[in-house]
């Protein structure tokens, strides 16, 4: 998620939404065979690969086509009980038992209006063709903890396949609030593990509420408004790293920092050198970065890359059609000049108008094997409903 009080107040003042919050999303790379299926996903960041120095190039992300209509909206049969729609999460393309499908783990909202962000649940949706979707199951619901009486909310959920343990995990933020009220900051950063081993375990239950993997005072300063933890990846130096999202609500701004861990299960540790990571100019508008490993289409060079929710247009203008993209040559250094603002409007056909009023939370880039990447994203549609859209993109390398 990662939205702050100021952003909500700004959007409320514009009359665009009753209450705003941005929850989140993680990417992958082909990770081999399982006993009952294979994971045909691009971008599970596991082992670092040597870079091929073939001259100086710059990696750019271009929009090929953006669908003018959402792929999931309020008319979808399984969306009738979530009038607030979708926020954050991530989508993977998996091949399980010979069947290739898109798997989306996301936040959905059970209500609209002023208490919209107080009834968020975690769901798993599936599609065979990327256009027609159905709910596979509800993973975790908002509820009152019977032991404490606290109101439990989650958001910013990112699935990740831990190859060493042969299990799926989901990283997410977690709140235990005194009373039924809207999601806010800071949050606890947790991880739940699949109860079933193997690739097919993503279709089963997870051991919610999981464990803390990035505790306050160890992974980040206690005065940081922590909001999300990305799936982990191995940097060029062999360390396990992840992006920790946090806000400074008194400014208000949204940042990402790198934290390290001995293994994907954590615990993730504060790294002052990478607090925060610059990512791009202007700073302070980076939310929910999702890491992935990409190959340059011309050089074959290995790049670490991220897509993220670029918040500046939403915060300053109350509208947005842009997502953020950046890349690194080692997974540790993310120079500001590598940052790119990608306008999804550029993929619309002449005369078309996009369905979104405010685009949000891009999911990872899914390599379709034909030179294009699929990116799903959420956005404010109509009747206070956040829908899911889709864009096709491609990578280019430019000499510099």
């Amino acid at each position: 998620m990662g939205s702050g009080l100021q952003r909500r107040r700004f959007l409320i003042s514009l009359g665009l939404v009753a209450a705003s919050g941005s929850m989140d999303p993680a990417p992958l790379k082909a990770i081999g065979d399982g006993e009952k299926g294979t994971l045909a996903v691009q971008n599970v960041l596991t082992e670092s690969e040597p870079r091929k120095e073939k001259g100086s190039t710059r990696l750019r992300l271009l929009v090929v086509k953006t669908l003018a209509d959402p792929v999931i909206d309020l008319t979808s049969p399984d969306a009738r009980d979530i009038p607030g729609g979708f926020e954050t999460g991530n989508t993977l393309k998996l091949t399980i038992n010979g069947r290739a499908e898109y798997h989306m783990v996301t936040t959905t909202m059970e209500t609209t209006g002023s208490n919209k962000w107080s009834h968020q649940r975690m769901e798993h949706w599936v599609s065979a063709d990327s256009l027609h979707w159905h709910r596979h199951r509800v993973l975790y619901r908002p509820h009152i903890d019977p032991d404490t009486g606290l109101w439990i909310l989650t958001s910013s959920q990112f699935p990740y396949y831990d190859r060493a343990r042969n299990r799926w995990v989901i990283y997410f933020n977690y709140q235990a609030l005194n009373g039924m009220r809207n999601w806010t900051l800071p949050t606890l950063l947790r991880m739940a593990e699949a109860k079933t081993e193997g690739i097919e375990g993503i279709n089963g239950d997870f051991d919610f509420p999981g464990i803390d993997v990035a505790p306050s005072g160890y992974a980040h300063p206690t005065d940081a408004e922590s909001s999300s933890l990305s799936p982990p990846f191995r940097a060029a130096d062999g360390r396990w790293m992840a992006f920790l999202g946090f806000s400074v609500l008194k400014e208000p701004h949204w940042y990402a920092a790198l934290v390290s861990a001995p293994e994907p299960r954590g615990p993730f540790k504060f790294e002052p050198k990478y607090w925060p990571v610059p990512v791009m100019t202007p700073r302070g508008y980076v939310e929910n970065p999702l890491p992935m490993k990409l190959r340059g289409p011309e050089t074959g060079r290995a790049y670490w890359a991220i897509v993220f929710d670029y918040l500046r247009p939403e915060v300053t203008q109350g509208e947005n059609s842009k997502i953020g993209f950046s890349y690194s040559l080692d997974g540790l250094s993310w120079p500001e000049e590598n940052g790119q603002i990608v306008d999804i409007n550029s993929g619309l056909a002449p005369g078309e108008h996009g369905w979104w009023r405010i685009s949000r939370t891009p999911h990872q880039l899914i390599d379709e094997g034909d030179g294009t990447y699929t990116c799903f994203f959420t956005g404010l549609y109509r009747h206070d409903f956040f829908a899911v859209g889709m864009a096709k993109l491609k990578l280019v390398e430019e000499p510099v």
Side-chain angles (χ1 to χ4, degrees):
M1 198 156 174
S3 60
L5 179 61
Q6 283 82 353
R7 184 168 69 171
R8 288 198 293 274
R9 287 175 174 169
F10 178 80
L11 294 177
I12 291 169
S13 72
L14 293 174
L16 291 177
V17 292
S20 171
S22 168
M23 308 167 297
D24 316 315
L28 293 139
K29 184 182 174 196
I31 58 177
D33 296 335
E35 292 181 2
K36 298 181 181 179
T38 59
L39 177 61
V41 186
Q42 308 301 314
N43 311 329
V44 175
L45 299 184
T46 54
E47 298 168 3
S48 61
E49 302 173 42
R51 301 196 305 273
K52 300 178 182 179
E53 302 297 339
K54 297 183 179 180
S56 183
T57 59
R58 180 175 65 172
L59 191 65
R60 300 281 92 178
L61 186 64
L62 302 181
V63 183
V64 177
K65 181 172 178 58
T66 306
L67 296 187
D69 296 314
V71 295
I72 312 178
D73 63 16
L74 65 175
T75 67
S76 300
D78 285 344
R80 291 172 183 165
D81 62 344
I82 47 170
F86 299 77
E87 255 272 77
T88 73
N90 193 37
T91 304
L92 315 173
K93 189 176 183 180
L94 312 179
T95 299
I96 301 175
N97 296 329
R99 182 178 178 85
E101 292 179 312
Y102 297 85
H103 291 253
M104 180 187 299
V105 177
T106 183
T107 291
T108 61
M109 281 82 79
E110 299 175 336
T111 59
T112 60
S114 60
N115 66 343
K116 178 176 187 173
W117 310 104
S118 67
H119 288 73
Q120 301 165 171
R121 67 194 194 200
M122 190 186 306
E123 298 194 2
H124 178 185
W125 285 60
V126 176
S127 173
D129 61 2
S130 76
L131 300 175
H132 303 88
W133 290 83
H134 68 273
R135 177 190 290 126
H136 175 68
R137 65 170 55 201
V138 176
L139 292 169
Y140 199 57
R141 296 178 183 273
H143 63 278
I144 294 176
D145 186 303
D147 295 327
T148 65
L150 298 175
W151 181 241
I152 306 302
L153 290 176
T154 62
S155 184
S156 303
Q157 51 286 109
F158 308 122
Y160 173 81
Y161 187 73
D162 188 338
R163 182 164 55 179
R165 294 178 57 82
N166 192 30
R167 284 186 188 271
W168 285 95
V169 298
I170 297 176
Y171 299 91
F172 60 100
N173 67 44
Y174 176 95
Q175 289 196 326
L177 302 174
N178 184 16
M180 189 182 297
R181 51 194 175 90
N182 281 336
W183 188 100
T184 187
L185 295 176
T187 70
L188 300 177
L189 302 176
R190 312 198 85 172
M191 184 200 77
E193 188 174 72
K195 294 182 178 180
T196 302
E197 289 187 342
I199 304 300
E200 64 278 8
I202 195 171
N203 290 320
D205 292 323
F206 287 75
D207 64 351
F208 294 108
I211 60 173
D212 290 334
V213 290
S216 177
Y218 184 77
H220 59 83
T222 56
D223 58 351
E225 309 277 11
S226 60
S227 60
S228 66
L229 185 72
S230 80
F233 61 93
R234 272 202 169 166
D237 64 2
R239 286 187 293 168
W240 286 103
M241 309 295 290
F243 283 94
L244 188 148
F246 69 99
S247 299
V248 182
L249 297 185
K250 62 184 179 182
E251 297 184 18
H253 285 303
W254 295 264
Y255 300 95
L258 283 174
V259 290
S260 65
E263 59 177 338
R265 290 174 58 85
F268 287 88
K269 182 182 68 173
F270 179 68
E271 293 283 350
K273 181 178 179 180
Y274 305 113
W275 188 272
V277 178
V279 181
M280 70 180 307
T281 302
R283 297 188 182 189
Y285 299 100
V286 175
E287 183 183 43
N288 302 336
L290 293 178
M292 65 203 87
K293 198 73 168 290
L294 302 175
R295 285 286 181 187
E298 300 297 330
T299 65
R301 171 181 289 161
Y303 295 94
W304 286 256
I306 53 173
V307 292
F308 55 90
D309 187 2
Y310 176 62
L311 290 174
R312 190 173 189 230
E314 177 182 344
V315 172
T316 60
Q317 303 167 33
E319 59 185 20
N320 197 7
S321 65
K322 298 175 175 65
I323 63 175
F325 174 77
S326 190
Y327 67 94
S328 169
L329 297 181
D330 59 8
L332 299 171
S333 175
W334 298 82
E336 290 174 288
E337 58 267 26
N338 289 0
Q340 180 189 355
I341 299 169
V342 181
D343 192 343
I344 56 177
N345 278 335
S346 63
L348 296 170
E352 285 186 332
H353 298 280
W355 58 266
W356 54 89
R357 293 165 63 189
I358 298 174
S359 63
R360 283 269 186 89
T361 56
H363 295 192
Q364 73 170 80
L365 303 181
I366 298 172
D367 190 345
E368 298 292 2
D370 60 358
T372 67
Y373 294 81
T374 299
C375 180
F376 297 95
F377 61 94
T378 63
L380 180 60
Y381 185 33
R382 59 177 66 148
H383 306 302
D384 205 21
F385 185 90
F386 277 75
V388 178
M390 185 177 75
K392 295 288 186 178
L393 306 103
K394 69 176 183 178
L395 293 171
V396 297
E397 287 177 296
E398 300 174 347
V400 292

